[in-house]
Amino acid sequence: MSASLSPTFLDDLAQVHATLRPQSLSAPFLSDLETIYATLPVASDANLLFLANHFHEWRRVTREFVGTHLAKLSDDDPLLCPISLFRTMDSGRLEVAHTRTLAWLLDPGKNEEHGFGDALLAALLGHLADRDHFDRLQVMAVWCERSLDGAAEKGRLDVLAEGEWECAGERVHWMLVIEAKVDAWEGEGQLDKYDEWLSAHAAGREIYRIFLTPDRRPPETGCDDWTALSFLQLVQIFRKVYPKLKHAPGFHFLRFYLAGVLQDICGWPKKLTADTPDPYAVASYLKTVHDSESQEASHDVAR
Amino acid sequence: MTSLGKPLVFYLKYMAEMNRLCADLEDDEERDLTGLKNREQVLEMARSVGDAACEKMADYLEICAKGIEDHFTGLGFGTLCEKTKRSFLLRNWYWRARVNVSSVPGGWFTCGAWVTAPPEVSVALAPDVCGVAVPWISTSGGRKTADEVWKILGGWAHSRRGGGLVDDSGMIALACIPIKPEPAGSLDVDRDQLIAEVIKTFARIGAEQTTAIARLVAGHSEPDEG
């Protein structure tokens, strides 16, 4: 069948079709869009040049800071230590070596071995609870590789601790859980499983959750209460109390451990200089050292 | 030529600075920007550039991923699963997937690609290079299996743990493809060429090698690291 289309039909079709076409954007809209776009910090060549110039100056100033403060470091600072505890065994990034050592370092129950008491645990808890000291810190237990409900296939908490702290009249029963990842990623729903277990076992205690990674990446699973912590931050937290531990039997073990974290996990060179690729991270570490030494000095004066 | 995107090339060139300015912080945490002038303005601009860079990176990795998948499925017995999604690429600048080899029961390995620059990797770059693209494969079974995979590949791959690009003992960096703006000093990089380089690298792992790697892993059959 063939039929010629009437002019009326074609006119109507053209009219309907015109309504289907996207409307052209009005001149006022385009003008406003242009105005608002001009206010946005877009990546124009001029903006990138502005940033680049600021970055060059920032890097120069930071490298200067690093150079000055590197020269002031004490000889036993982990940053100057060429020995990595685990690299000697080709295990510098072996996750289980780190978590087991961490549990040992944090455990006041191992005081007869390391002599640190609760100093490192208190420093870590203080960071999490935003306290610069505790009037009383009691640690009930520290576990490493703790199986959930006694079944390893359900998952294992890398480090688990529990206890109670008091500060300025406040008393808190707490649980601390650390999940560390060096080169691995989370298993499917891994932190969700831990959250479920923690909810069932917390019994009203405050739960401090740490997701420890080289780059402080946020976890893919679990609730929002997991604190992303980098290994560098962990070193800095421990470094604050490091001078107080100089005479403890485990001091050099700690020194080699921290040096290993800096070299094998943070990727810092054994012989660090001011022209390191990331002077900002090194400057951040050096500020921690400077602050802790200033604090020590003021305590000495007070004593 | 499609551009890799100036924001992304800029990010790679100033990775230490951009990482510091764009890192997510806890609510009550202060960003340490000691020594930086005009910090509010710089921070705002850097975060805007960072967001744009993330989008460009995800675009790039998605196209690489398609090419890598086409290669392995094109062998006739490879399928990819557990592929990372765009939301992951935006955050991590890292694509990975598991290659299952249907002709070898229990035979699989992981493949992926990322783009990075110092200080995230410990490699020295030529002055006109601002970053590197790294195609890689990884097997369970740690260093011992990786030793054998290295042999299966015939020694052409770039490096392993200790070479500055990969840290995991089971991982092999297949190549270290320099990201070099043209002309030098600009922020213009040909994305198509960079994609082609990554896909060409994977194309070197043929049917015989894919099957051999899968057989090796199936024989070791150690559980994944948790």
Side-chain angles (χ1 to χ4, degrees), chain A residues 41-43 45-52 54-59 61-62 90-91 93-95 130 179 181 183-185 190 216-218 220 226-228 233 264 266-267 277-281 284 287, chain B residues 6-7 10 13-18 20-21 23-26 28-29 32-38 41-46 48-49 52 88 91-92 94 96 118-119 122 143 161 167-169 187 225-226:
Chain A
V42 290
D45 285 354
N47 283 351
L48 294 178
L49 183 64
F50 172 88
L51 281 180
H54 277 74
F55 288 175
H56 288 147
E57 177 60 11
W58 187 20
R59 183 168 283 248
V61 170
T62 308
D90 194 24
S91 302
R93 293 178 70 93
L94 185 64
E95 202 172 280
D130 199 18
E179 176 56 30
K181 293 287 176 202
D183 292 315
W185 296 85
Q190 188 176 4
R216 199 192 180 190
R217 69 169 192 262
E220 300 282 320
W226 286 89
T227 299
Q233 285 177 298
D264 304 328
C266 304
D278 189 358
Y280 312 100
S284 161
K287 276 178 208 155
Chain B
K6 286 182 181 180
F10 180 87
K13 192 170 173 183
Y14 296 99
M15 197 140 203
E17 289 79 9
M18 290 298 285
R20 201 147 196 90
L21 289 161
D24 290 327
L25 300 184
E26 299 289 328
D28 54 349
E29 203 176 351
D32 181 4
L33 302 178
T34 310
L36 176 64
K37 290 179 182 162
N38 297 324
Q41 188 185 0
V42 170
L43 183 61
E44 191 182 340
M45 288 169 73
S48 165
V49 172
F88 182 90
R91 284 195 304 277
N92 298 291
Y94 180 103
R96 71 174 194 275
S122 308
R143 194 182 59 179
R161 189 174 70 170
D167 292 315
D168 189 294
S169 58
L187 296 171
E225 193 178 353

Side-chain angles (χ1 to χ4, degrees), chain B:
Chain B
M1 165 191 134
T2 310
S3 167
L4 187 61
K6 286 182 181 180
L8 175 51
V9 178
F10 180 87
Y11 198 116
L12 292 168
K13 192 170 173 183
Y14 296 99
M15 197 140 203
E17 289 79 9
M18 290 298 285
N19 276 352
R20 201 147 196 90
L21 289 161
C22 297
D24 290 327
L25 300 184
E26 299 289 328
D27 293 341
D28 54 349
E29 203 176 351
E30 263 187 56
R31 203 176 293 275
D32 181 4
L33 302 178
T34 310
L36 176 64
K37 290 179 182 162
N38 297 324
R39 59 182 66 176
E40 288 309 317
Q41 188 185 0
V42 170
L43 183 61
E44 191 182 340
M45 288 169 73
R47 291 182 75 89
S48 165
V49 172
D51 289 345
C54 289
E55 294 291 341
K56 293 289 179 189
M57 177 62 84
D59 291 347
Y60 167 74
L61 288 174
E62 278 182 336
I63 301 172
C64 285
K66 172 80 173 59
I68 297 167
E69 180 161 19
D70 286 349
H71 166 65
F72 284 115
T73 53
L75 297 177
F77 48 76
T79 52
L80 264 64
C81 64
E82 297 175 19
K83 293 176 274 186
T84 47
K85 295 189 169 62
R86 187 173 177 92
S87 57
F88 182 90
L89 305 182
L90 286 168
R91 284 195 304 277
N92 298 291
W93 291 26
Y94 180 103
W95 178 82
R96 71 174 194 275
R98 175 171 161 150
V99 183
N100 288 316
V101 179
S102 59
S103 54
V104 182
W108 62 275
F109 58 91
T110 310
C111 69
W114 76 67
V115 175
T116 187
E120 290 194 347
V121 284
S122 308
V123 288
L125 302 184
D128 53 348
V129 171
C130 62
V132 290
V134 184
W136 55 267
I137 60 168
S138 176
T139 48
S140 58
R143 194 182 59 179
K144 198 175 162 192
T145 311
D147 282 343
E148 293 175 59
V149 173
W150 183 269
K151 283 185 210 154
I152 289 169
L153 291 176
W156 58 262
H158 180 271
S159 59
R160 301 176 47 195
R161 189 174 70 170
L165 287 179
V166 294
D167 292 315
D168 189 294
S169 58
M171 211 174 221
I172 293 175
L174 298 172
C176 178
I177 303 163
I179 299 176
K180 191 174 172 181
E182 294 283 357
S186 74
L187 296 171
D188 298 318
V189 171
D190 183 350
R191 187 180 77 175
D192 302 334
Q193 194 186 336
L194 207 55
I195 291 165
E197 292 274 339
V198 169
I199 295 169
K200 197 171 77 186
T201 304
F202 274 103
R204 297 184 73 177
I205 308 176
E208 199 179 318
Q209 289 170 315
T210 303
T211 309
I213 295 167
R215 278 203 190 110
L216 179 71
V217 174
H220 285 222
S221 65
E222 287 183 15
D224 292 350
E225 193 178 353

Side-chain angles (χ1 to χ4, degrees), chain A residues 157-213:
Chain A
L157 302 170
D158 285 341
V159 179
L160 176 71
E162 60 180 53
E164 187 182 306
W165 60 255
E166 273 184 52
C167 181
E170 189 185 1
R171 194 163 132 186
V172 171
H173 294 269
W174 53 267
M175 286 177 96
L176 167 70
V177 58
I178 302 174
E179 176 56 30
K181 293 287 176 202
V182 178
D183 292 315
W185 296 85
E186 289 150 76
E188 201 177 327
Q190 188 176 4
L191 299 191
D192 296 323
K193 285 180 208 161
Y194 295 172
D195 284 336
E196 201 177 310
W197 187 89
L198 288 164
S199 302
H201 291 79
R205 281 171 288 196
E206 176 82 33
I207 307 172
Y208 300 113
R209 297 167 168 90
I210 293 181
F211 186 63
L212 181 65
T213 60

